[in-house]
Amino acid sequence: MKSEEIAKIAGVSRSTVSRVINNYPNVPDETKKKVLEVIEKYNYQPNTCARVLAGKKSDTIGLFIVSIADAENPNRLYKNDYFNQFTNAVVDCANSRGYYVLINIIYCENDYRRVNEIFLQKRIDGGIVLGTEKEAAALINVSKKGCPIALIDYDAEEIKKNESEYENLIVVGSKDYEGAVEAVEYLISLGHKEIGLLSGRLSTFSGRQRYKAFVDTMKKHNLEIREEFILQGDFIKSKTNSAVQALINKGKLPSAIFSSNDDMAIEAIELFKYNNIRVPEDISIIGFDNITLASLIKPALTTIETPIYSIVEKTVEELIHNISKTRKGFRSYSYNTKMVIRETCTKKLNSLLTL
Amino acid sequence: MKSEEIAKIAGVSRSTVSRVINNYPNVPDETKKKVLEVIEKYNYQPNTCARVLAGKKSDTIGLFIVSIADAENPNRLYKNDYFNQFTNAVVDCANSRGYYVLINIIYCENDYRRVNEIFLQKRIDGGIVLGTEKEAAALINVSKKGCPIALIDYDAEEIKKNESEYENLIVVGSKDYEGAVEAVEYLISLGHKEIGLLSGRLSTFSGRQRYKAFVDTMKKHNLEIREEFILQGDFIKSKTNSAVQALINKGKLPSAIFSSNDDMAIEAIELFKYNNIRVPEDISIIGFDNITLASLIKPALTTIETPIYSIVEKTVEELIHNISKTRKGFRSYSYNTKMVIRETCTKKLNSLLTL
DNA sequence: CTGAAAGCGCTTACAG
DNA sequence: CTGAAAGCGCTTACAG
C-alpha cells in the first residue's frame, strides 16, 4: 500500500495525502477526515525511506557505546551493569518522545568511524556517545559536518575554548570531581589516613576527574599519597583483580580505599573476602556510580551516586532540540552526585591488620 | 557526496559505481579498483534510504521488548536485569554479523501494532520479540505479511499445528519445564515436603511451563499442593513483595520455595531477611534464570540457568537466514537449562520455625 | 485549497 | 563489460 493508492481511494491527489500526513495547516477538516479514514482503514504507513529521501527526518537516534577497553571479552555488553542502565534509560527516554534508537557498539578504535558512516548513510538524525575516550576527536568532527552529537562524560572545558566551532555538540555528565572529593573527605572524616585509590581509565574524563579529586583532597589534608596504594584498575574487573591481588601479596594494606567505580569496588571486596580480609573492619571501601548491584551485595556498598536517568533524559531532550533546530550552539550540563552511605566504610580502628 | 559524483570522478557511470558497491561479478578488477579508490578517498557512504527504496535490505533488525506487566513503573527497562542481558546479547550478536538493531519497548497492548508499523515503514528486515505474551497473535500475523519474526519464549507446539502458515516465524527458548522439574526434584531430595511456589505470569509460556512442572512434580511425589503456598508474583517485584508479605503475616511458611524467576526469589529473600526469617536455615529458596545478581547476593542464590547468550545467538542467526532466504519454513529451538547450586537451599531441618 | 511535476539517491533490467 | 533510463515511494515548491 502506498500513498498513491490511498489518494485514489480517498479521491484526492498524492500531494493532499502527504499534506494530511504531515499536518499541513491548509487542508480543510473534511478532506483531512476523509483521508485519515482511508489511512486508518487500510492500515497505511508511509515508507520511511521514501520520506527521508524526500527530505524528512528519520526520527532515529544513534546510541554508540564505546567498549574498547574491554576488548578481551567477547561479549562486552552482555553483563555490564553500568552500560545497561544507560542503554535502557536512552531507549526509555527516546521512545517516549517518538524517536527510535539504533544501538551500536564500538569495539575498537577503528569502529569510531562507524558513527560517521551511519550518519552519512542517513540512518540517524543525531547520536549519543557513551563512554567517550580521548580519541573521540573523530566524533567531534562528525558533529561539525552537521550531525548533532551528544557526548556523555567528556571534558566540556576543552571544547568551550573553541565553542563556536561546535554548534552541533552537547556534553552532559555529572560533577565527578566534587563527588570524588566528598568520598575521600568522608573516609578522612572516619579517621583514615592511609587511603588507597582504585583508579579508572585516565583516558576517560570521569577517570581523570576522580583521580584528580583524590590527589587534591589527600594533599589538602596533608596526607601522604603512597604510590603502592594507587592501583590501576582501568574500570575493568580483570585488571582490578590483578592489581588488588598484587597489593594483598605485598602484605601492607591501606585502611581505606576510594574506588573510581562500583564495578571495581565490588571486585575488590570479593577478593578481600576470599583472602579473609574483612570489609569494613579491616579495610573500608567506597565506590562510585551506585549501580544496581551496590545495594544488593553484602556488605552493601557505600558509594557516590551518579544520576544516570537525569543525565540521559537531559541528553535526549537537548539532542532533539538540536535535531529540530529549536535550540543551537554548544551547551554542556553537569549533574550533582550524591553520597549513599551503606555498610562498607567504618571508623579507622586502632588495631592494625597483620596479614 | 552521492554516487553520481563518485562516478564522474572515477570516469564511469553511476551504474558501475553501484555494481562495485554491490559486488557484482562482472566488473573488471581494474575498474573496481579505480572506483574503490575514489570511494575511499572521499569517504563515500551510499544513502541507506535510497538503497532500500531501490529494493535493498535495510540490514536492520527490530528488537521489541514486551514490558506490559510493569506498566506502573515509569522507567520500565531501566533496572531490569533479565531484559538487560537479552538486549545486550542481541546487540552483540547482530552487530557482529553486520546488522543494526532498532530497539523498541512495548509498554501496553496497543503498542503491539508498532511492530507492524515499523515493518510497514520498511525500517527493519526482521524482528525479535522478547517477553511475548499470549496476546501476541497480532505479531504472528505480521510474520504472515512477509516480515521474518522470531519469538523468544513462546509455545512452539501451538504453532506447529498450523505450521505451513508460519513460513516466516521462528521460536527459540529454553527447556523450562525440564529445568523447573529439576529444581523441584532438588528441593524434594533435600527432604522438603511443604514446598511453595512463587509463580510467574501465566500469560507467558515460561510462566506456564514452570508452573506446570511444579504441580506435576509435587503430584508425582504425592506431596500436597497447599493453595496458600502458591503465590502469584507475576515476575514483578512489587507483586511478589505483597504476596510474600501476606504469607508471612499468616504465620505459616513452607520449608522451601521454588520461584519462577530470580528477580522474585531475590525480592522474597530480602523480605525474609527483613522479617528475621533465615535463608536457608528457616526456608530454602531456588530461583530460575541465573541473572547476574544471583551469584552476588548474600546468601548466593541457587537457581536454574537459562542459556541466554546461546538462545539469542541462535535467534539472530536463524532470523538472518529467514531475511536472506537461505532457509525457510517454521522452525523452533529449545535449549537445555542447568542447575547452579549455591547457598539458598539446605536440607529440611527437623525444628519447625515458629513465627 | 489542491493537483501535476520535479526531485531525493540509489539499483537493476535492458540494450548494446 | 557498461551506460542510459526507468523506477522505488515519498515531499514540496510551483502554478492555478
Side-chain angles (χ1 to χ4, degrees), chain A residues 259-328:
Chain A
S259 172
S260 286
N261 81 0
D262 289 351
D263 257 356
M264 296 193 295
I266 291 169
E267 183 72 19
I269 291 172
E270 289 290 309
L271 206 54
F272 286 139
K273 268 194 217 166
Y274 185 78
N275 285 276
N276 292 316
I277 299 165
R278 295 167 304 166
V279 177
E281 294 83 351
D282 298 329
I283 188 164
S284 288
I285 185 159
I286 184 167
F288 210 113
D289 286 344
N290 195 24
I291 62 177
T292 317
L293 268 182
S295 63
L296 294 161
I297 60 162
K298 203 71 197 168
L301 185 65
T302 292
T303 187
I304 304 293
E305 177 173 312
T306 9
I308 294 186
Y309 206 85
S310 306
I311 290 174
V312 167
E313 201 156 35
K314 188 68 176 175
T315 306
V316 171
E317 265 173 21
E318 295 298 328
L319 186 65
I320 292 176
H321 272 307
N322 277 10
I323 288 170
S324 47
K325 316 255 185 216
T326 45
R327 206 168 284 178
K328 61 187 291 187

Side-chain angles (χ1 to χ4, degrees), chain B residues 143-155:
Chain B
S143 89
K144 284 193 189 168
K145 288 186 195 151
C147 181
I149 296 255
L151 304 177
I152 290 179
D153 181 23
Y154 198 83
D155 188 355

Side-chain angles (χ1 to χ4, degrees), chain A residues 45 84 88 92 107 121 293, chain B residues 48 84 88 92 107 121 293:
Chain A
Q45 289 287 325
N84 278 335
N88 295 329
D92 257 6
Y107 288 133
Q121 290 168 5
L293 268 182
Chain B
T48 301
N84 278 335
N88 295 327
D92 257 6
Y107 289 132
Q121 290 167 5
L293 268 182

Side-chain angles (χ1 to χ4, degrees), chain A residues 212-251:
Chain A
K212 190 165 182 305
F214 170 79
V215 172
D216 289 355
T217 310
M218 291 293 277
K219 282 191 181 155
K220 183 180 157 204
H221 288 269
N222 290 314
L223 293 174
E224 187 191 359
I225 297 170
R226 293 178 55 168
E227 205 182 319
E228 69 268 32
F229 290 167
I230 305 279
L231 309 178
Q232 210 56 49
D234 281 359
F235 291 141
I236 299 172
K237 277 179 180 281
S238 58
K239 275 212 160 187
T240 304
N241 193 297
S242 341
V244 174
Q245 189 61 60
L247 176 72
I248 294 173
N249 293 345
K250 281 189 194 147

Side-chain angles (χ1 to χ4, degrees), chain A residues 329-345:
Chain A
F330 174 72
R331 306 184 295 288
S332 70
Y333 305 89
S334 188
Y335 283 81
N336 285 325
T337 59
K338 192 181 83 191
M339 184 153 67
V340 180
I341 296 181
R342 296 203 181 94
E343 304 167 351
T344 52
C345 296

Side-chain angles (χ1 to χ4, degrees), chain B residues 53 92 94 204 300:
Chain B
L53 200 56
D92 257 6
T204 66

Side-chain angles (χ1 to χ4, degrees), chain A residues 175-189:
Chain A
K175 297 210 166 70
D176 285 14
Y177 184 86
E178 291 80 353
V181 166
E182 190 178 4
V184 181
E185 289 281 4
Y186 175 61
L187 294 177
I188 294 171
S189 77

